[in-house]
Amino acid sequence: MLIAGKTAFVTGAASGLGAETARLLAAAGARVAVLDRDAVKGQAIAQELGGQYVSVDVSDATSAEAAVSAALAAFGAPAVLVNCAGIGTAGRIVGREGPMELTAFQKVINVNLVGTFNMLRLCAHAMSTAEPDANGQRGVIISTASVAAYEGQVGQAAYAASKGGIVALTLPAARELARFGIRVLAIAPGLFLTPLLAELPPEVQDGLASTIPNPPRLGQPVEFAQLVKAMIENDYLNGEVIRLDGALRMQAK
């Protein structure tokens, strides 16, 4: 699918992987809706790209429905949805103070997994009403999983479960939406230099980078965005989760 002239909705687009994805898609000629909870950063990215900022809590049905409606009013049906909104947390199932609070587990699942499905269902419906291109394609949906879906570490039960759900969602969603000409994919990033990791001391960053076989460094958000672009442009890529991790395989701790 050609990107130029298309509309792309990017969640979590105010920073990190989402912001770089929004930038690269805009540079490729897309009209970009910047969806995020952070109004200050989101509006700044939208202004930079000549796009439109839309406030959204992806885990909330009413908020997501309103956000998609606003983005549709501004740009029309999307040809691309990139789900980058998510949260990370750490906590042992049984810690020093007892069992993990159920609400902590539920929050991560609601934002990362339910939020991904929430935007997928709404944008897939909007895509299904658009005219297909010359190849019978109407849209591409790309979600953000994690290598933690495969090698979740101690303390990552909630995060790994949420990202594992995204992995499991990808193929059945691709099969179901095939009749509309909508492809569904996911990326499972390894250790990337997001704003959260950038705040860590240099020696900690170096320690994390040393665990990555090749190249022995943290991933750059633009590398995530480049894979998004390639996935959009390759019509035969569908129902797949691609690891982007420098051959990293995380240990238990």
Side-chain angles (χ1 to χ4, degrees):
M1 175 177 284
L2 295 175
I3 296 173
K6 300 296 196 304
T7 293
F9 293 2
V10 183
T11 72
S15 63
L17 303 180
E20 286 304 313
T21 297
R23 288 188 178 102
L24 193 60
L25 294 181
R31 300 179 294 271
V32 179
V34 175
L35 293 96
D36 204 286
R37 294 186 67 177
D38 191 325
V40 174
K41 291 182 179 178
Q43 288 170 352
I45 294 292
Q47 185 174 11
E48 172 191 334
L49 305 180
Q52 176 79 31
Y53 167 72
V54 182
S55 176
V56 66
D57 174 355
V58 297
S59 67
D60 182 80
T62 301
S63 175
E65 289 163 8
V68 170
S69 293
L72 288 173
F75 291 133
V80 175
L81 166 66
V82 185
N83 281 312
C84 290
I87 60 174
T89 188
R92 290 177 180 258
I93 299 169
V94 179
R96 293 178 179 177
E97 298 181 358
M100 174 188 286
E101 291 290 338
L102 185 59
T103 53
F105 185 90
Q106 290 172 324
K107 181 178 180 180
V108 177
I109 297 296
N110 283 339
V111 174
N112 293 355
L113 178 55
V114 176
T116 291
F117 178 79
N118 196 15
M119 295 303 298
L120 183 151
R121 72 183 181 96
L122 297 171
C123 289
H125 176 259
M127 290 175 180
S128 72
T129 66
E131 289 297 317
D133 66 13
N135 297 315
Q137 299 299 301
R138 287 187 170 88
V140 184
I141 296 172
I142 302 172
S143 298
T144 304
S146 168
V147 296
Y150 308 100
E151 298 122 31
Q153 297 182 296
V154 171
Q156 285 190 328
Y159 184 73
S162 70
K163 295 301 186 177
I166 292 172
V167 170
L169 171 64
T170 301
L171 182 58
R175 288 172 164 172
E176 181 174 338
L177 298 177
R179 66 192 181 101
F180 298 116
I182 298 171
R183 294 185 288 121
V184 183
L185 296 151
I187 299 173
L191 296 173
F192 271 70
L193 190 59
T194 59
L196 181 62
L197 285 186
E199 294 176 359
L200 297 175
E203 60 272 18
V204 176
Q205 294 185 33
D206 292 342
L208 291 172
S210 69
T211 66
I212 302 169
N214 185 40
R217 60 168 174 79
L218 299 176
Q220 299 294 327
V222 69
E223 292 170 318
F224 177 93
Q226 288 166 343
L227 181 54
V228 168
K229 181 175 181 289
M231 290 172 126
I232 295 168
E233 294 174 334
N234 191 330
D235 282 352
Y236 206 61
L237 191 58
N238 192 16
E240 188 59 80
V241 181
I242 298 179
R243 291 182 66 127
L244 187 64
D245 59 17
L248 171 69
R249 297 298 182 269
M250 294 197 298
Q251 300 304 307
K253 294 183 180 179

